[in-house]
Amino acid sequence: MKNQEEAMNFYEAKFGVALPEDFDLAAYRSFNKDLASQFTQDWQFKLHYIQYGRRERRKFKLDGATRYVHSYELLAPDGSVPARRPTDETDFALEIPFRFEAQVSQSRPIAAFVHCFYPDVLPLILQRLENIPGGVDLYLSTNVEEKKAEVEELTASWRKGRVEIRIFPNRGRDIAPKFVGFKDVYSRHDLFVHLHTKKSPHAGDILSGWRDYLLDNLLGSPEIVRSNLSLFDDPKIGVVFPQHFFNVRSMLNWGFDYDMARALVAPMGVSLNKNLTLEFPSGSMFWGRTDALNPLLESKLQFSDFPEETGQIDGTIAHAIERSLLMIVESRGYEWLKVVQRDLYPLAQTILSVAGPDDIAKHRSRVFQPCLSRADAISCTERLGMPETKPLLSYPSRNERPRINILVPSVNPAEIYGGISTALKLFDLISAALGESFDRRIIVTDSRISPEAYEIHSAYSPVPFFQSLDAEPMQIVDGTDRAVGRLNLRAGDIFLATAWWTARHAVEFGRDQKRYFRKKPAFIYFIQDDEPYFYGWSSKWALAESTYHLPGETIAVINSEELYSDMTKRYRFKSVFCYPYKMNANISNALKNHPRERIILVYARPHATRNAFELICESLQEWQQREPMRARHWRIICLGQQFDEEMTYPVQNVSVVGKVSLEEYADYLSRASVGVSLMLSPHPSYPPLEMAEAGVTTITNRYGGKDLRQRFPEIISLDYLEPMSLADAIETAVGQAERNIGRIVPRRTPKQPFWRKPPPLDVGRIASAVRAELGDGRGRKTLLFW
């Protein structure tokens, strides 16, 4: 990347989002001089983008993100319900006519529904309808015989299709005639256009151009019509409507229609929430696909449900239907798009030009902002001390390929403990079993991805936390800054959760899949501990424990035989596997036959309360004060987490080495004589088992049914923990180890626990279960679209 233009073109091509005009490549390079000397590889540029300072990165991200105006107040001062709406500057639409010759394929005539309350406007509409290619059947409604006669005269020369005129009560404006009065004719047509002889007399001059604006954007020329109709060649598009007339933008809200809308859509399977984005075809003129609105057409609405006309401007069932239309469309699995002519709308930066079909796909993620998608990244739990629970918002992807995803708190080398390492290994095993027919994605939820981590995972394309074309087969996403971003979500996404809060994210993604695609696959839950008990009796306890109560949604993989035995006694899962203990191959291969030294290895993690760091320190102090002459020859090495050595005072001869490489860890295991590793959990944790297998005299604790002496009889496993008993165990272990100082102690072979043997980790069966969740057992995309 040698110049600014090349850098900007590259980024937009890769991510579908433009960098801002004031993007400074020189400053960008200087952000990290060690890595930014030459942008000779794509991954270097992408890595730099993601590492280029929070403020600058957010500026880039916001350039393509939809921002919202919203109030958490329940009601506005006038008693109406406020709405979440895109800001004017981030509410995008496709420019029409397209800058290429759009082709239209339609097998049946289009239905044009026109409510003619003002017949004098009908000639203007008929003139526009002539721009539609092919057959057009007219379905016209009015409220009295005199107007019907006028409409008959005006349409007598119509030659593009049939003409049917009906008289209906003056109720429900144009909404009731279309969806109630003509509900019987929609089945004859795949596509329709809704129009009416709009005048808006209540608003005076401010809305005088609204009708013509809508008609011009829907039917203004043959090229505009072809552009609009060509969008329906995409089988996922259910409605196309004009960008809002600018003078009505400040009026777009729920008003007094919210409760009626909520009651209307509930029987259709839609749960309305004022926090959802409100979008609708304001003015009630739009192109539509019949199947997308079938729930409304099949409802039991009658004309009597609509009030008599008294000039109401809000608060009727007709207004509620208008505001609910796109939610109904999305509940059927369809999407919508907005269009506008450049010379009819003042915010030019929100109009996306379409030079070819690829531009439609690229711009979709900016135009279509789902009404049924979670739109709020703020939660009370996140604000009250649980930042890991902050929602990860999603966006429906069009990529049809199935994909396996891992939700993991961190991939940074300094933060990868045994649990994360094992989870990543499991992800690799399942991915390999699924094969090339499945894409892969790593989603990091808590710790910003470091440059070293990107290099380790260089096979994965770094992708911003932002909706895009979602084209890369292997992606890594930093989801830590989720104020405005969204995660691309496919119908064929299966998630591997690695901790309770990532399981909650997986559950929410499943609910999103249900909204977007009408199918919610189960998720894989790698259960590595009885996590609720990390938090005492608390909100976190409740949230963590709730993730074990999803028997129909969970493919459980339980880490270790001990934890498997405990969890399967208390919980039920859709299917369950055991990830058995086995020493890491790199550790095993690095063990050496070294003479034993006077070293006590301590698995010390002050921030993990279940490892009882304080109790270990108290016990070491007690032992040293009992046996000062012996203790002065023994070094205490603290492994697992970096912390200030002052935290161990007054324990003597302590060295805190923190997190070390597997090779260094194996070296300590080869030379140490005593190990202390506690775990207040049914999970054994790997350090005491690794210590014991390496020949170290190991002290740990029992917990419930867990007793590691069933694996290694040599382990000192305490029935209860308190400083004096643990100090006694240290004294005993040191006394036993003294006889082996300077000698080689051979490795030990673990025994199988005596309980009923759990099912083995059969990755092939897990892969089969994943494929079955997506439909046909072979990983094909039979359920992705309909």
Side-chain angles (χ1 to χ4, degrees), residues 163-409:
V163 177
E164 186 171 339
I165 306 169
R166 297 181 184 181
I167 295 177
F168 299 122
N170 189 19
R171 291 172 177 258
R173 304 283 172 84
D174 59 297
I175 299 291
K178 294 168 184 173
F179 291 119
V180 177
F182 279 118
K183 68 166 58 178
D184 58 303
V185 304
Y186 282 83
S187 60
R188 307 173 192 168
H189 304 276
D190 299 317
L191 301 178
F192 61 83
V193 61
H194 273 193
L195 308 168
H196 58 109
T197 56
K198 185 176 183 63
K199 286 191 176 181
S200 302
H202 63 280
D205 292 342
I206 191 171
L207 299 184
S208 60
W210 191 3
R211 179 195 64 218
D212 290 345
Y213 171 86
L214 296 173
L215 291 174
D216 286 344
N217 282 306
L218 291 170
L219 300 159
S221 70
E223 293 75 21
I224 287 173
V225 171
R226 285 198 300 270
S227 296
N228 287 327
L229 284 176
S230 70
L231 294 173
F232 288 97
D233 288 343
D234 180 344
K236 290 282 287 181
I237 297 301
V239 164
V240 173
F241 63 100
Q243 174 63 285
H244 304 287
F245 186 54
F246 196 76
N247 289 352
V248 306
R249 293 196 67 89
S250 62
M251 309 175 194
L252 302 176
N253 53 52
W254 280 112
F256 296 92
D257 311 313
Y258 179 81
D259 284 344
M260 283 182 288
R262 194 165 189 263
L264 172 75
V265 299
M268 304 176 193
V270 177
S271 179
L272 193 55
N273 182 319
K274 74 179 270 289
N275 234 0
L276 298 175
T277 302
L278 175 63
E279 185 61 275
F280 61 99
S282 56
S284 191
M285 297 195 205
F286 57 93
W287 291 97
R289 189 188 301 272
T290 294
D291 187 64
L293 285 168
N294 264 342
L296 184 59
L297 297 171
E298 295 170 357
S299 69
K300 297 180 180 180
L301 283 171
Q302 304 292 328
F303 274 97
S304 58
D305 295 317
F306 297 81
E308 292 186 7
E309 180 59 45
T310 59
Q312 304 97 323
I313 61 173
D314 196 12
T316 73
I317 187 65
H319 292 97
I321 291 173
E322 179 185 36
R323 283 158 174 77
S324 306
L325 277 173
L326 299 184
M327 295 183 175
I328 296 169
V329 167
E330 290 181 29
S331 75
R332 289 285 291 172
Y334 288 98
E335 300 175 2
W336 47 264
L337 290 171
K338 287 192 287 191
V339 296
V340 72
Q341 294 181 67
R342 188 169 293 275
D343 59 351
L344 297 182
Y345 193 71
L347 299 180
Q349 73 273 22
T350 67
I351 302 173
L352 308 176
S353 63
V354 181
D358 289 346
D359 283 340
I360 299 173
K362 183 174 76 171
H363 296 328
R364 162 187 168 266
S365 65
R366 302 178 80 178
V367 176
F368 172 56
Q369 298 301 320
C371 300
L372 294 185
S373 171
R374 292 174 294 146
D376 197 350
I378 296 175
S379 69
C380 292
T381 54
E382 180 263 333
R383 290 180 57 250
L384 297 174
M386 289 183 269
E388 64 270 39
T389 63
K390 186 169 186 175
L392 285 158
L393 304 184
S394 68
Y395 189 88
S397 172
R398 286 295 194 86
N399 194 321
E400 299 185 27
R401 282 178 58 82
R403 177 169 56 190
I404 180 75
N405 304 261
I406 183 170
L407 291 157
V408 63

Side-chain angles (χ1 to χ4, degrees), residues 69 95 101 414 425 453:
V69 176
E95 181 184 7
E101 189 171 347
K425 179 180 177 182

